[in-house]
Coordinates of all heavy atoms in Angstrom, one line a residue:
N330 N -331.3 1.7 84.9 CA -332.2 1.7 83.7 C -331.3 1.5 82.4 O -331.6 0.7 81.5 CB -333.0 2.9 83.5 CG -334.1 2.7 82.5 OD1 -335.2 2.3 82.8 ND2 -333.8 3.0 81.2
Y331 N -330.2 2.2 82.4 CA -329.2 2.2 81.3 C -328.6 0.8 81.1 O -328.6 0.2 80.1 CB -328.1 3.2 81.5 CG -327.0 3.1 80.4 CD1 -327.3 3.7 79.1 CD2 -325.8 2.5 80.6 CE1 -326.3 3.7 78.1 CE2 -324.8 2.5 79.7 CZ -325.1 3.0 78.4 OH -324.1 3.0 77.4
L332 N -328.1 0.2 82.2 CA -327.5 -1.1 82.2 C -328.5 -2.2 81.8 O -328.2 -3.1 81.1 CB -326.9 -1.4 83.6 CG -325.6 -0.6 83.9 CD1 -325.2 -1.0 85.3 CD2 -324.5 -0.8 82.9
M333 N -329.7 -2.1 82.4 CA -330.7 -3.1 82.1 C -331.1 -3.1 80.7 O -331.2 -4.2 80.0 CB -332.0 -2.9 83.0 CG -331.8 -3.2 84.4 SD -331.6 -5.0 84.8 CE -333.3 -5.6 84.3
T334 N -331.3 -2.0 80.1 CA -331.8 -1.9 78.7 C -330.6 -2.2 77.7 O -330.8 -2.9 76.7 CB -332.3 -0.5 78.4 OG1 -333.4 -0.2 79.3 CG2 -332.8 -0.4 77.0
E335 N -329.4 -1.8 78.0 CA -328.3 -2.1 77.2 C -328.0 -3.6 77.2 O -327.7 -4.2 76.2 CB -327.0 -1.4 77.6 CG -327.1 0.1 77.3 CD -327.3 0.4 75.8 OE1 -326.7 -0.3 75.0 OE2 -328.1 1.3 75.5
R336 N -328.1 -4.2 78.4 CA -327.9 -5.7 78.5 C -329.1 -6.4 77.7 O -328.8 -7.4 77.0 CB -327.9 -6.1 79.9 CG -327.6 -7.6 80.2 CD -326.2 -7.9 79.8 NE -325.8 -9.3 80.3 CZ -324.6 -9.9 80.2 NH1 -323.6 -9.2 79.7 NH2 -324.4 -11.1 80.6
K337 N -330.3 -5.9 77.8 CA -331.4 -6.4 77.0 C -331.1 -6.4 75.5 O -331.4 -7.4 74.8 CB -332.7 -5.6 77.3 CG -334.0 -6.1 76.7 CD -335.1 -5.3 77.1 CE -336.4 -5.8 76.6 NZ -336.9 -7.0 77.2
K338 N -330.5 -5.4 75.0 CA -330.1 -5.3 73.6 C -329.1 -6.3 73.3 O -329.2 -7.0 72.2 CB -329.6 -3.9 73.3 CG -330.6 -2.7 73.5 CD -329.8 -1.4 73.3 CE -330.7 -0.2 73.6 NZ -330.0 1.1 73.6
L339 N -328.1 -6.4 74.1 CA -327.0 -7.4 73.8 C -327.5 -8.8 73.8 O -327.2 -9.6 72.9 CB -325.9 -7.3 74.9 CG -324.8 -8.3 74.8 CD1 -323.9 -7.9 73.6 CD2 -323.9 -8.4 76.1
L340 N -328.4 -9.2 74.8 CA -328.9 -10.5 74.8 C -329.8 -10.8 73.6 O -329.7 -11.9 73.0 CB -329.7 -10.7 76.1 CG -328.9 -10.7 77.4 CD1 -329.9 -11.0 78.6 CD2 -327.7 -11.6 77.4
A341 N -330.7 -9.8 73.2 CA -331.6 -10.0 72.1 C -330.8 -10.2 70.8 O -331.1 -11.0 69.9 CB -332.5 -8.8 72.0
H342 N -329.7 -9.4 70.6 CA -328.9 -9.4 69.4 C -328.2 -10.8 69.2 O -327.8 -11.1 68.1 CB -327.9 -8.3 69.4 CG -328.5 -6.9 69.1 ND1 -327.9 -5.8 69.5 CD2 -329.7 -6.6 68.6 CE1 -328.6 -4.7 69.2 NE2 -329.7 -5.2 68.6
N343 N -328.0 -11.5 70.3 CA -327.3 -12.7 70.3 C -328.1 -14.0 70.6 O -327.6 -15.0 70.8 CB -326.1 -12.7 71.3 CG -325.0 -11.7 70.9 OD1 -324.2 -12.1 70.1 ND2 -325.0 -10.5 71.4
G344 N -329.4 -13.8 70.5 CA -330.3 -15.0 70.6 C -330.4 -15.6 72.0 O -330.6 -16.8 72.1
F345 N -330.3 -14.8 73.0 CA -330.5 -15.3 74.4 C -331.9 -16.0 74.6 O -332.9 -15.4 74.3 CB -330.3 -14.2 75.4 CG -330.4 -14.6 76.8 CD1 -329.4 -15.2 77.5 CD2 -331.6 -14.2 77.5 CE1 -329.5 -15.6 78.8 CE2 -331.7 -14.5 78.9 CZ -330.7 -15.2 79.5
Y346 N -331.9 -17.2 75.1 CA -333.2 -17.9 75.3 C -333.5 -18.1 76.7 O -334.5 -18.9 77.0 CB -333.2 -19.2 74.5 CG -332.0 -20.1 74.8 CD1 -332.1 -21.0 75.9 CD2 -330.9 -20.1 74.1 CE1 -331.0 -21.8 76.2 CE2 -329.8 -20.9 74.4 CZ -329.9 -21.8 75.4 OH -328.8 -22.6 75.7
G347 N -332.8 -17.5 77.7 CA -333.0 -17.7 79.1 C -334.0 -16.7 79.6 O -334.9 -16.2 78.9
H348 N -333.9 -16.5 80.9 CA -334.8 -15.5 81.6 C -334.1 -14.5 82.4 O -333.0 -14.8 82.9 CB -335.8 -16.3 82.5 CG -336.6 -17.3 81.7 ND1 -337.8 -17.0 81.0 CD2 -336.5 -18.7 81.6 CE1 -338.3 -18.1 80.4 NE2 -337.5 -19.1 80.8
T349 N -334.7 -13.4 82.6 CA -334.0 -12.3 83.4 C -335.0 -11.9 84.6 O -336.2 -11.9 84.4 CB -333.7 -11.1 82.6 OG1 -334.9 -10.6 82.0 CG2 -332.7 -11.5 81.5
Y350 N -334.4 -11.6 85.7 CA -335.2 -11.3 86.9 C -334.4 -10.3 87.8 O -333.2 -10.0 87.5 CB -335.4 -12.5 87.8 CG -335.9 -13.7 87.1 CD1 -335.0 -14.7 86.6 CD2 -337.3 -13.9 87.0 CE1 -335.5 -15.9 86.0 CE2 -337.8 -15.1 86.4 CZ -336.9 -16.1 85.9 OH -337.3 -17.2 85.3
F351 N -335.1 -9.8 88.8 CA -334.4 -9.2 90.0 C -334.8 -10.2 91.1 O -335.6 -11.1 91.0 CB -334.8 -7.8 90.2 CG -336.2 -7.6 90.7 CD1 -336.5 -7.6 92.1 CD2 -337.3 -7.5 89.8 CE1 -337.8 -7.4 92.6 CE2 -338.6 -7.3 90.3 CZ -338.8 -7.3 91.6
W352 N -334.1 -10.0 92.3 CA -334.5 -10.8 93.5 C -334.5 -9.9 94.7 O -333.7 -9.1 94.9 CB -333.4 -11.9 93.6 CG -333.7 -12.8 94.8 CD1 -334.4 -14.0 94.8 CD2 -333.1 -12.7 96.2 NE1 -334.4 -14.5 96.1 CE2 -333.6 -13.7 96.9 CE3 -332.3 -11.7 96.8 CZ2 -333.3 -13.9 98.3 CZ3 -332.0 -11.9 98.1 CH2 -332.5 -13.0 98.8
R353 N -335.5 -10.2 95.5 CA -335.6 -9.5 96.8 C -336.3 -10.3 97.8 O -337.3 -11.0 97.5 CB -336.3 -8.1 96.6 CG -336.3 -7.3 97.9 CD -336.7 -5.9 97.6 NE -335.7 -5.2 96.9 CZ -335.8 -3.9 96.5 NH1 -336.9 -3.2 96.8 NH2 -334.8 -3.4 95.8
S354 N -335.9 -10.3 99.0 CA -336.6 -11.0 100.1 C -337.4 -10.0 100.9 O -337.3 -8.7 100.7 CB -335.6 -11.6 101.1 OG -334.9 -10.6 101.8
K355 N -338.4 -10.5 101.7 CA -339.2 -9.6 102.5 C -338.4 -8.8 103.5 O -338.9 -7.8 104.0 CB -340.3 -10.4 103.1 CG -341.3 -11.0 102.1 CD -342.4 -11.8 102.7 CE -343.3 -12.4 101.7 NZ -344.3 -13.3 102.2
A356 N -337.2 -9.3 103.8 CA -336.3 -8.6 104.7 C -335.5 -7.6 104.0 O -334.5 -7.0 104.6 CB -335.4 -9.6 105.4
Q357 N -335.7 -7.3 102.7 CA -335.1 -6.3 101.9 C -333.7 -6.7 101.5 O -333.0 -5.8 101.0 CB -335.0 -4.9 102.7 CG -336.4 -4.4 103.0 CD -337.3 -4.3 101.8 OE1 -337.0 -3.6 100.9 NE2 -338.5 -4.9 101.9
A358 N -333.3 -7.9 101.6 CA -332.1 -8.4 100.9 C -332.4 -8.4 99.4 O -333.5 -8.8 99.0 CB -331.7 -9.8 101.5
E359 N -331.4 -8.0 98.6 CA -331.7 -7.9 97.2 C -330.5 -8.2 96.3 O -329.4 -8.1 96.7 CB -332.3 -6.5 96.9 CG -331.3 -5.4 97.1 CD -331.9 -4.0 96.7 OE1 -332.6 -3.9 95.7 OE2 -331.7 -3.1 97.5
V360 N -330.9 -8.6 95.1 CA -329.9 -8.7 94.0 C -330.5 -7.9 92.8 O -331.7 -8.2 92.4 CB -329.7 -10.2 93.6 CG1 -328.7 -10.2 92.4 CG2 -329.1 -11.0 94.7
D361 N -329.8 -7.0 92.2 CA -330.3 -6.1 91.2 C -330.8 -6.9 90.0 O -331.8 -6.5 89.4 CB -329.2 -5.1 90.8 CG -329.0 -4.0 91.8 OD1 -330.0 -3.8 92.6 OD2 -327.9 -3.4 91.9
Y362 N -330.0 -7.9 89.5 CA -330.3 -8.5 88.2 C -329.7 -9.9 88.2 O -328.6 -10.2 88.6 CB -329.6 -7.6 87.1 CG -329.7 -8.1 85.7 CD1 -331.0 -8.3 85.2 CD2 -328.6 -8.5 85.0 CE1 -331.1 -8.7 83.8 CE2 -328.8 -8.9 83.7 CZ -330.0 -9.1 83.1 OH -330.2 -9.5 81.8
I363 N -330.6 -10.8 87.6 CA -330.2 -12.2 87.5 C -330.5 -12.6 86.0 O -331.5 -12.3 85.4 CB -331.1 -13.0 88.4 CG1 -330.8 -12.7 89.9 CG2 -330.9 -14.5 88.2 CD1 -331.8 -13.3 90.9
E364 N -329.6 -13.4 85.5 CA -329.8 -14.1 84.2 C -329.8 -15.6 84.5 O -328.9 -16.1 85.2 CB -328.8 -13.8 83.2 CG -328.9 -12.3 82.7 CD -327.7 -11.9 81.8 OE1 -326.8 -12.7 81.6 OE2 -327.7 -10.7 81.4
E365 N -330.8 -16.3 84.0 CA -330.9 -17.7 84.2 C -331.0 -18.4 82.9 O -331.9 -18.1 82.1 CB -332.2 -18.1 85.0 CG -332.3 -19.6 85.3 CD -333.5 -20.0 86.2 OE1 -334.4 -19.1 86.3 OE2 -333.5 -21.1 86.7

Side-chain angles (χ1 to χ4, degrees):
N330 196 92
Y331 177 78
L332 292 177
M333 288 292 294
T334 301
E335 290 300 321
R336 186 68 170 185
K337 185 178 181 69
K338 297 172 187 177
L339 178 71
L340 297 183
H342 288 158
N343 288 278
F345 179 76
Y346 54 86
H348 301 281
T349 59
Y350 311 94
F351 71 93
W352 180 87
R353 183 167 294 179
S354 71
K355 293 177 182 177
Q357 301 304 304
E359 64 179 318
V360 176
D361 287 334
Y362 178 60
I363 295 168
E364 291 172 0
E365 183 178 18

